[in-house]
């Protein structure tokens, strides 16, 4: 069984999961119209700069993330002060402001909502994190993880 299969199906966040602090959730957010704007190195840098700001994350912990040309995947450990949907909204907003400036455009950057998968507490969260950052390899974008510049793990 693939590690991603062990923590449940993707759910659109129309009804956000009620997560207690310390639980991890794998989140995917897609660019408006699945535009491949993140294939541009400079736009990707701005997106990362936006969602990694400490005031944006609050007390949530970003355990892993990877940028794909048309979406981002985050593995987020929920904090005490804000529910997951508020954290995701702040991450999307902050990254959109910077990316839109780089793209010389206005309007929504991200699709509304997001997809989420709750990580089962019995599953090793580090294995899930490795699966998240390996997505560009599985998608055939690069031969090895070292060939993709936009990913990070909290344990590095």
């Amino acid at each position: 069984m693939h590690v991603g299969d062990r923590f449940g199906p993707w759910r659109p966040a129309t009804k956000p999961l009620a997560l207690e602090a310390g639980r991890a959730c794998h989140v995917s957010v897609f660019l408006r119209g699945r535009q491949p704007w993140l294939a541009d190195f400079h736009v990707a840098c701005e997106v990362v700069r936006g969602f990694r700001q400490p005031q944006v994350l609050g007390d949530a912990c970003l355990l892993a993330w990877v940028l794909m040309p048309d979406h981002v995947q985050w593995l987020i450990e929920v904090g005490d002060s804000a529910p997951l949907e508020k954290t995701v909204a702040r991450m999307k907003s902050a990254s959109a402001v910077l990316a839109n400036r780089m793209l010389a455009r206005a309007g929504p950057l991200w699709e509304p909502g997001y997809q989420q998968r709750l990580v089962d507490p019995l599953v090793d969260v580090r294995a899930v994190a490795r699966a998240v950052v390996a997505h560009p390899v599985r998608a055939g974008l690069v031969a090895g993880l070292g060939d993709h510049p936009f990913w990070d793990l909290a344990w590095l």
Side-chain angles (χ1 to χ4, degrees):
M1 178 184 298
H2 183 269
V3 71
D5 298 334
R6 288 187 276 172
F7 56 92
W10 283 107
R11 298 177 186 206
T14 52
K15 184 175 181 187
L17 297 169
L19 299 176
E20 63 273 7
R23 285 296 299 269
C25 193
H26 181 189
V27 174
S28 289
V29 179
F30 295 89
L31 289 168
R32 186 64 70 145
R34 301 286 300 246
Q35 292 293 318
W37 289 318
L38 301 180
D40 180 295
F41 181 85
H42 300 291
V43 173
C45 287
E46 291 300 289
V47 165
V48 172
R49 193 164 68 96
F51 71 68
R52 296 214 45 203
Q53 296 174 40
Q55 68 271 22
V56 169
L57 287 169
D59 66 347
C61 184
L62 189 55
L63 301 175
W65 59 267
V66 66
L67 293 187
M68 300 296 285
D70 65 350
H71 72 282
V72 62
Q73 295 185 27
W74 296 312
L75 183 59
I76 301 170
E77 185 178 83
V78 178
D80 287 317
S81 66
L84 178 66
E85 61 268 19
K86 295 288 186 195
T87 302
V88 170
R90 287 193 312 256
M91 293 169 76
K92 287 171 64 174
S93 178
S95 59
V97 167
L98 297 173
N100 276 341
R101 188 176 304 140
M102 179 63 63
L103 289 163
R105 68 178 295 278
L109 182 76
W110 302 104
E111 288 288 345
Y114 56 94
Q115 293 180 342
Q116 60 190 4
R117 284 177 146 175
L118 183 60
V119 178
D120 187 310
L122 301 176
V123 172
D124 178 12
V125 73
R126 290 182 186 208
V128 175
R130 286 190 298 273
V132 168
V133 300
H135 191 64
V137 177
R138 287 191 312 276
L141 295 179
V142 292
L145 191 53
D147 299 328
H148 187 70
F150 295 107
W151 63 273
D152 198 12
L153 291 170
W155 299 278
L156 292 180

Coordinates of all heavy atoms in Angstrom, one line a residue, residues 9 23 26 32 35 42 50 64-65 68-69 86 94 116 120 129 134 145 149:
P9 N -8.9 9.4 1.8 CA -9.2 10.0 0.5 C -9.0 11.5 0.6 O -9.1 12.1 1.6 CB -10.6 9.6 0.2 CG -11.2 9.5 1.5 CD -10.2 8.9 2.4
R23 N -2.4 17.8 15.1 CA -2.7 16.9 14.0 C -2.2 17.4 12.7 O -2.2 18.6 12.4 CB -4.2 16.7 13.9 CG -4.9 15.9 14.9 CD -4.5 14.4 15.0 NE -4.7 13.6 13.8 CZ -5.8 12.9 13.5 NH1 -6.8 12.9 14.4 NH2 -6.0 12.2 12.4
H26 N -2.5 16.9 5.1 CA -1.9 17.1 3.7 C -2.9 17.9 2.9 O -4.0 17.5 2.7 CB -1.7 15.7 3.1 CG -1.0 15.8 1.8 ND1 -0.9 14.7 1.0 CD2 -0.5 16.8 1.0 CE1 -0.3 15.0 -0.2 NE2 -0.1 16.3 -0.1
R32 N -5.5 29.1 -10.2 CA -6.7 29.4 -10.9 C -6.6 28.9 -12.3 O -5.6 29.2 -13.0 CB -6.9 31.0 -10.9 CG -8.2 31.4 -11.5 CD -9.4 31.0 -10.7 NE -9.5 31.6 -9.5 CZ -10.6 32.0 -8.9 NH1 -11.8 31.8 -9.5 NH2 -10.7 32.5 -7.7
Q35 N -3.3 27.1 -14.2 CA -2.3 27.8 -14.9 C -0.9 27.3 -14.4 O -0.7 27.2 -13.2 CB -2.4 29.3 -14.8 CG -3.6 29.9 -15.5 CD -3.5 29.8 -17.0 OE1 -2.5 30.0 -17.6 NE2 -4.6 29.4 -17.6
H42 N 11.0 32.7 -10.7 CA 10.8 33.9 -9.9 C 9.4 33.9 -9.3 O 9.3 34.4 -8.1 CB 11.1 35.1 -10.8 CG 12.5 35.1 -11.3 ND1 13.6 35.3 -10.5 CD2 13.0 35.0 -12.6 CE1 14.7 35.2 -11.3 NE2 14.3 35.0 -12.5
G50 N 6.0 34.0 0.3 CA 4.7 34.4 0.9 C 4.2 33.4 2.0 O 3.8 33.8 3.1
A64 N 6.2 20.0 5.7 CA 6.7 19.7 4.3 C 5.9 20.5 3.3 O 4.7 20.8 3.5 CB 6.6 18.2 4.0
W65 N 6.5 20.8 2.2 CA 5.8 21.4 1.1 C 6.6 21.1 -0.2 O 7.8 20.8 -0.2 CB 5.7 22.9 1.3 CG 7.0 23.7 1.5 CD1 7.6 24.0 2.6 CD2 7.8 24.2 0.4 NE1 8.8 24.7 2.4 CE2 8.9 24.8 1.0 CE3 7.7 24.2 -1.0 CZ2 9.9 25.5 0.3 CZ3 8.7 24.9 -1.7 CH2 9.8 25.5 -1.1
M68 N 4.5 22.4 -7.5 CA 4.3 21.9 -8.8 C 4.0 23.0 -9.7 O 3.7 24.1 -9.3 CB 3.2 20.8 -8.8 CG 3.5 19.6 -7.8 SD 5.0 18.7 -8.2 CE 4.3 17.7 -9.6
P69 N 4.0 22.8 -11.0 CA 3.8 24.0 -11.9 C 2.4 24.6 -11.7 O 2.3 25.8 -11.8 CB 3.9 23.4 -13.3 CG 4.8 22.2 -13.2 CD 4.5 21.7 -11.8
K86 N -8.2 28.7 8.3 CA -7.7 30.1 8.5 C -6.2 30.1 8.1 O -5.8 31.0 7.4 CB -7.9 30.5 9.9 CG -9.3 30.7 10.3 CD -9.9 31.9 9.7 CE -11.3 32.1 10.2 NZ -12.1 32.9 9.4
A94 N -1.2 35.5 1.3 CA 0.2 36.1 1.3 C 1.0 35.7 0.1 O 1.7 36.6 -0.5 CB 0.9 35.6 2.6
Q116 N -7.9 18.3 1.1 CA -7.3 17.9 2.4 C -7.3 16.5 2.6 O -8.3 15.8 2.2 CB -7.9 18.7 3.5 CG -9.4 18.4 3.7 CD -10.1 19.3 4.7 OE1 -9.5 20.2 5.2 NE2 -11.4 19.0 4.9
D120 N -3.4 10.0 9.4 CA -3.8 9.0 10.5 C -2.7 9.1 11.5 O -1.5 9.0 11.2 CB -3.9 7.6 9.9 CG -4.4 6.6 10.9 OD1 -3.9 6.5 12.0 OD2 -5.3 5.9 10.5
A129 N 5.5 13.0 4.8 CA 6.3 14.2 4.3 C 7.2 13.8 3.1 O 7.3 14.6 2.2 CB 7.1 14.8 5.5
A134 N 8.3 14.1 -2.7 CA 8.7 13.3 -3.9 C 7.7 13.4 -5.0 O 7.9 12.8 -6.1 CB 8.8 11.8 -3.4
L145 N 14.9 14.0 -6.6 CA 14.4 15.1 -5.8 C 15.4 16.3 -5.8 O 15.0 17.4 -5.8 CB 14.2 14.6 -4.3 CG 13.5 15.6 -3.4 CD1 12.1 16.1 -4.0 CD2 13.2 14.9 -2.1
P149 N 13.9 22.4 -7.4 CA 14.4 23.4 -6.4 C 13.3 23.8 -5.3 O 13.7 24.4 -4.3 CB 14.7 24.6 -7.2 CG 13.8 24.5 -8.4 CD 13.7 23.0 -8.7

